[in-house]
Amino acid sequence: MHRPFQHSQTPAPSARPVIVCFSHLRWDLVFQRPQHIMSRLSQSFDVIYWEEPRFDPQSDQPRLERLAMDKGLVRAIPVLPAGLDAAATEQALRTLLQAEVAGHAGPLVYWYYTPMMLAFSAPVRADLIVYDCMDELANFAFAPGDIAERETELIARADLVLCGGRSLYEARRGRHANIQCFPSGVDIAHFARDAGQTAEPEDQTALPRPRLGFYGVIDERMDLELLGEMARLRPDWAFVMIGPVVKISPDDLPRPANIHWLGGRDYGQLPDYAVHWDIALMPFARNASTRFISPTKTPEYMASGLPVVSTPIKDVVDTYGALASIRIAEDAAGFVAACEDLLAASDRDRRAWRAEASECLADKSWNGMTARIAQQLHDGLAARQLSRITTPRLAPRRRHYDVLVVGAGFAGSVMAERIAAGSGKSVLVIDKRDHIGGNAFDHRDDAGILVHKYGPHIFHTNSRDIVDYLSRFTGWRPYEHRVLAAVDDKLVPMPINRTTLNRLYGLNLADDAAAEAYLKSVAVDVGEIRNSRDTVVAQVGEDLYARFFQGYTRKQWGVDPTELDKSVAARVPARTNTDDRYFTDSYQCMPDQGYTAMFQAMLDHPQIDIVTGISHADLPDDITWDHMVWTGPIDEYFGHDLGKLPYRSLRFQHETLETEQAQPAAVVNYPDIKTPYTRITEYKHLTGQEAPVTSITREYPADEGDPYYPVPNPAAQEMYRRYATLARDCHDVTFVGRLATYRYYNMDQIVGQALATWRRLDARWRLDALAGLGVVAAE
């Protein structure tokens, strides 16, 4: 698998994107999360796996030993003279890193598994920084005293923070705007072996059955006392322990005759051992070092067809604890009882375990997870490159503009186009994101599928005028949007209609009148409708409310529907007919070349300059303007002087699947509160594209991140009204769009608002121009 060791001074130049992966784990020690991810990313990136330095008393000069692994992957081992102090060590490592990255022409990504390598690497600038937090390193034995402080600095510098488990994510979720939970995956094909067709390793063949096994690093996270007591309670069982002993003394290992310490084994050999075990063990200690762990071996054991007994590690309990093949035990007696129960299971039970494991692991492959990460890296690098291409347009152009438009989404782009083309004024459009189009931005992913970066945007309107205006910049593809809801293992139309009722309850409602009568029979008289819950139960009753609205709304808004304004639920009415279209507007269509192409055409005007990747506050001091159009959050404009308006945010998980079609409709909603995402979108339904693969997006509501939805409650509305009062006194600033007016608008409503706002502004400018000429307008 590995090519022979080789030493080279400088790598051959390459134009591929480069990842320098800074890791505290030796590549050859245990095959863990870093090795799984980096070996797969090396298919589209040049990966340099940078390990901790080794000190050589015989060496008088720092050097970098480079071991070529698979294609695109190099293991880099800094070798330094012994006796260097901290400052000299840092400088030596920085010099080696500078020389290494100088040989690569492609964009540069720094990927950190440890914050302790930030000090020497930070001055060597990268295009993108990723922190992949796989453990709470500060809680490990012999951890550096300043590791928590270093991590805080790394999180502040990172563009993307990944967490290898739910507990790690929950502990950090408020510390970064782009933090994502990416639990470790599993190579199912690697571990799914047939015992009858897999040769057993010689050092295990003679061991008696039953065999209870563990593989992994054996360190302070292992409850050795528990293991020893299990072996004492069941001397007839064979306990197989595979892995290197690290940070603890071999003398501390329990040594009864039925515990077999086999030492470390190559990752490729592990399935050959595991497939001949009866049960897999995870006897982790419950201490600071295990508080946040999310063991990779859990899904690996399941893929091997093994039942598992574990101590109550939080991520194991939360993710796998409900499965029949996973047992949780507190002590040795509990472990023995759980193992005895599993060993007595019938063949039917074991088949059920395997089916259960297969279903559970379906979305946990390393390949799928790494593909999602790779897409985010490519998107991030492309955005940086686009920013560099776009920003220099500022230099040769004017330094003064008639109008500055802050925000290049629907509101800002329509205003800019009308002000330039309709009012004849010079316009500078800026956006702090690295692209135009706002939340409607779309692009082709690596599979060539046109996807929406910020979730599905479906155009629909009853206004012919708005369609006519946008048709100046795009052609259209007819499209009627349909949504299904996953309820009780069924996919049923959403909004609720007669088909939904018949399919869900086994009814035979033949016409609208029958459906209306049924809904009236289950509706609840709530008296005065005060909130979203009242709105729904007054229409469809408690059961439909619980199945379709309660969980979905709690996920979407982060609060119970009883705490939300009644207008929220009014957006999705129940129907008595069989119309399964999500919208009933007269015009339903999609831009035939995508939204981004439409925005590009809209902003393609000689009077319009565009600068992306820059905020209003970061504009150079010598750029001036007469009037500003502000489409950002209104409270941000006023420096949050009256407080921060509340918003709900979203996190998007994009994935390409090796199948032609993933679901029967463009969007499937998941109202069950136990499902962390609210919906899955499959874009080929929207675009009409044909391809052997398909791309989807899972949508996760979040408290932190870019603002998407104003929170509809009385306190927020009162705060907005106070900001709106301040805005009315800003004669030279126009506030327009969702964020600036703190309202949830559909796209056509934003276009309509922008066009109406421009007309008023243009009329004012014309009157001002007449007044400047001494002309008084007739009343």
Side-chain angles (χ1 to χ4, degrees):
M1 180 177 179
H2 297 165
R3 293 201 285 270
F5 181 91
Q6 60 182 12
H7 173 79
S8 62
Q9 298 298 319
T10 307
S14 170
R16 289 212 308 174
V18 180
I19 296 175
V20 182
C21 176
F22 299 103
S23 179
H24 58 294
L25 298 171
R26 284 178 48 174
W27 183 275
D28 59 344
L29 188 61
V30 176
F31 211 80
Q32 296 189 43
R33 180 183 176 97
Q35 290 91 330
H36 281 292
I37 293 176
M38 291 302 140
S39 61
R40 288 165 173 82
L41 286 178
S42 67
Q43 297 174 23
S44 55
F45 295 82
D46 285 339
V47 176
I48 303 163
Y49 189 84
W50 189 284
E51 297 184 5
E52 292 183 325
R54 300 179 191 174
F55 294 91
D56 181 5
Q58 307 303 316
S59 176
D60 58 355
Q61 292 292 329
R63 69 181 191 275
L64 190 68
E65 294 184 349
R66 304 177 73 253
L67 177 62
M69 314 292 278
D70 294 332
K71 183 179 179 182
L73 176 61
V74 169
R75 180 182 174 194
I77 307 167
V79 181
L80 307 182
L84 294 182
D85 62 18
T89 297
E90 185 176 307
Q91 182 56 54
L93 291 171
R94 185 176 303 134
T95 300
L96 291 175
L97 177 61
Q98 288 171 330
E100 177 68 18
V101 300
H104 296 269
L108 183 61
V109 178
Y110 283 171
W111 185 298
Y112 292 88
Y113 280 104
T114 171
M116 300 310 295
M117 295 191 187
L118 181 64
F120 75 82
S121 59
V124 186
R125 297 293 297 275
D127 297 286
L128 209 66
I129 296 176
V130 179
Y131 175 35
D132 189 359
C133 178
M134 60 178 282
D135 284 304
E136 190 66 71
L137 296 178
N139 292 346
F140 279 29
F142 312 115
D146 61 345
I147 192 168
E149 180 182 343
R150 298 284 184 95
E151 185 191 49
T152 297
E153 182 182 355
L154 176 55
I155 290 175
R157 288 176 175 267
D159 298 286
L160 170 64
V161 178
L162 305 175
C163 292
R166 176 60 56 179
S167 297
L168 288 169
Y169 171 72
E170 294 296 339
R172 288 164 174 76
R173 62 184 306 175
R175 296 173 63 185
H176 196 277
N178 188 18
I179 186 167
Q180 302 176 21
C181 185
F182 263 91
S184 293
V186 59
D187 187 342
I188 297 174
H190 181 68
F191 285 94
R193 306 286 178 90
D194 184 333
Q197 299 179 11
T198 303
E200 187 169 6
E202 291 183 3
D203 56 353
Q204 183 174 270
T205 306
L207 300 183
R209 307 294 284 260
R211 295 178 190 149
L212 294 78
F214 169 90
Y215 59 71
V217 175
I218 297 166
D219 56 16
E220 77 274 18
R221 292 171 294 177
M222 181 69 62
D223 191 335
L224 298 175
E225 184 177 343
L226 183 150
L227 178 65
E229 179 64 12
M230 286 174 60
R232 187 189 67 79
L233 291 173
R234 291 307 303 253
D236 54 325
W237 292 356
F239 295 85
V240 183
M241 305 298 292
I242 296 174
V245 178
V246 178
K247 293 190 288 186
I248 62 174
S249 170
D251 296 336
D252 294 334
L253 304 180
R255 298 287 184 176
N258 59 332
I259 300 182
H260 307 276
W261 302 97
L262 302 187
R265 292 292 183 272
D266 185 86
Y267 173 75
Q269 296 175 288
L270 297 180
D272 297 338
Y273 285 88
V275 75
H276 295 287
W277 295 346
D278 298 288
I279 295 174
L281 300 177
M282 295 199 300
F284 289 111
R286 281 164 288 167
N287 54 35
S289 66
T290 61
R291 180 182 172 192
F292 296 99
I293 64 171
S294 182
T296 305
K297 54 186 59 60
T298 315
E300 292 177 351
Y301 289 155
M302 292 169 62
S304 296
L306 291 168
V308 181
V309 183
S310 173
T311 45
I313 300 302
K314 187 176 188 307
D315 278 14
V316 176
V317 174
D318 290 350
T319 308
Y320 304 103
L323 301 179
S325 59
I326 307 295
R327 304 296 170 86
I328 306 299
E330 298 272 354
D331 52 23
F335 260 75
V336 168
C339 291
E340 289 174 341
D341 186 53
L342 292 170
L343 290 170
S346 66
D347 290 343
R348 180 179 179 180
D349 290 335
R350 296 175 189 277
R351 287 193 298 271
W353 295 345
R354 286 191 288 272
E356 182 181 59
S358 178
E359 181 178 354
C360 177
L361 301 179
D363 62 347
K364 294 180 174 62
S365 75
W366 281 117
N367 288 341
M369 190 191 82
T370 307
R372 295 193 293 273
I373 294 174
Q375 184 59 59
Q376 293 193 58
L377 298 184
H378 285 301
D379 285 349
L381 291 172
R384 289 289 165 86
Q385 183 64 20
L386 179 62
S387 177
R388 291 188 182 122
I389 292 171
T390 306
T391 302
R393 291 182 58 185
L394 197 61
R397 309 286 293 206
R398 56 179 68 91
R399 313 306 289 173
H400 178 81
Y401 292 83
D402 296 321
V403 180
L404 170 68
V405 175
V406 180
F410 265 103
S413 296
V414 170
M415 289 292 291
E417 188 279 333
R418 286 289 75 213
I419 291 169
S423 302
K425 295 183 179 292
S426 61
V427 182
L428 172 63
V429 179
I430 66 171
D431 200 295
K432 64 183 178 181
R433 285 174 171 168
D434 294 319
H435 56 74
I436 62 174
N439 291 342
F441 172 75
D442 55 20
H443 66 102
R444 294 187 183 275
D445 63 14
D446 285 351
I449 307 299
L450 187 66
V451 300
H452 298 185
K453 184 173 182 177
Y454 305 102
H457 283 68
I458 317 300
F459 186 78
H460 57 101
T461 185
N462 286 315
S463 171
R464 182 70 213 184
D465 289 343
I466 289 174
V467 173
D468 288 344
Y469 170 74
L470 293 177
S471 296
R472 303 177 190 180
F473 315 109
T474 184
W476 299 100
R477 173 182 179 267
Y479 172 73
E480 293 184 331
H481 191 49
R482 286 170 171 80
V483 175
L484 299 174
V487 178
D488 293 350
D489 298 322
K490 298 181 177 68
L491 293 178
V492 294
M494 184 69 187
I496 294 167
N497 65 9
R498 186 165 10 118
T499 304
T500 309
L501 300 174
N502 286 336
R503 190 176 300 171
L504 194 63
Y505 295 112
L507 302 174
N508 187 26
L509 304 174
D511 53 30
D512 290 10
E516 182 178 1
Y518 176 82
L519 289 175
K520 285 183 178 179
S521 73
V522 298
V524 177
D525 183 5
V526 297
E528 181 184 353
I529 294 178
R530 291 185 170 88
N531 52 53
S532 284
R533 178 195 173 277
D534 292 347
T535 300
V536 177
V537 298
Q539 290 186 73
V540 300
E542 294 281 4
D543 190 66
L544 287 168
Y545 162 76
R547 291 171 185 252
F548 286 89
F549 294 93
Q550 186 175 29
Y552 192 98
T553 305
R554 284 187 65 86
K555 290 190 291 185
Q556 184 74 10
W557 294 101
V559 297
D560 192 83
T562 57
E563 300 177 52
L564 287 173
D565 187 83
K566 58 187 178 182
S567 63
V568 175
R571 288 172 53 86
V572 186
R575 300 170 182 164
T576 57
N577 57 25
T578 57
D579 185 357
D580 64 347
R581 296 175 302 162
Y582 198 75
F583 307 112
T584 57
D585 301 67
S586 302
Y587 304 100
Q588 302 185 43
C589 45
M590 298 290 288
D592 60 0
Q593 300 301 312
Y595 286 102
T596 301
M598 181 183 74
F599 283 107
Q600 289 170 339
M602 189 181 297
L603 295 172
D604 185 16
H605 190 281
Q607 286 282 77
I608 297 176
D609 286 348
I610 309 164
V611 182
T612 58
I614 190 170
S615 68
H616 166 250
D618 293 331
L619 276 174
D621 292 338
D622 61 339
I623 299 297
T624 59
W625 56 89
D626 296 326
H627 191 90
M628 178 192 292
V629 173
W630 179 269
T631 72
I634 189 171
D635 54 334
E636 180 182 324
Y637 177 83
F638 291 104
H640 308 293
D641 286 348
L642 304 178
K644 291 191 71 172
L645 286 167
Y647 289 91
R648 286 292 281 172
S649 187
L650 295 169
R651 177 173 64 82
F652 304 96
Q653 187 179 74
H654 303 283
E655 182 178 4
T656 296
L657 305 177
E658 298 294 327
T659 184
E660 191 169 351
Q661 181 176 309
Q663 56 191 36
V667 171
V668 175
N669 286 356
Y670 290 84
D672 191 337
I673 193 68
K674 296 178 183 178
T675 303
Y677 42 84
T678 51
R679 59 181 178 177
I680 295 177
T681 300
E682 184 177 14
Y683 293 100
K684 285 165 63 177
H685 294 275
L686 310 181
T687 64
Q689 287 179 273
E690 296 181 0
V693 298
T694 192
S695 295
I696 65 169
T697 295
R698 295 180 181 88
E699 203 164 302
Y700 297 80
D703 292 321
E704 300 292 330
D706 289 346
Y708 286 91
Y709 301 106
V711 176
N713 62 42
Q717 292 302 318
E718 176 56 29
M719 184 184 293
Y720 166 70
R721 280 191 287 271
R722 294 167 63 200
Y723 275 119
T725 300
L726 295 179
R728 283 193 290 272
D729 294 330
C730 298
H731 183 74
D732 294 323
V733 182
T734 297
F735 296 83
V736 61
R738 279 184 184 179
L739 303 180
T741 57
Y742 203 64
R743 288 181 177 87
Y744 184 85
Y745 285 130
N746 292 326
M747 291 181 290
D748 66 318
Q749 294 171 316
I750 299 172
V751 174
Q753 184 200 47
L755 290 173
T757 302
W758 166 74
R759 292 188 192 102
R760 291 192 297 270
L761 189 59
D762 183 67
R764 191 181 98 190
W765 285 334
R766 292 180 187 278
L767 287 174
D768 290 346
L770 290 173
L773 296 172
V775 178
V776 179
E779 294 186 358

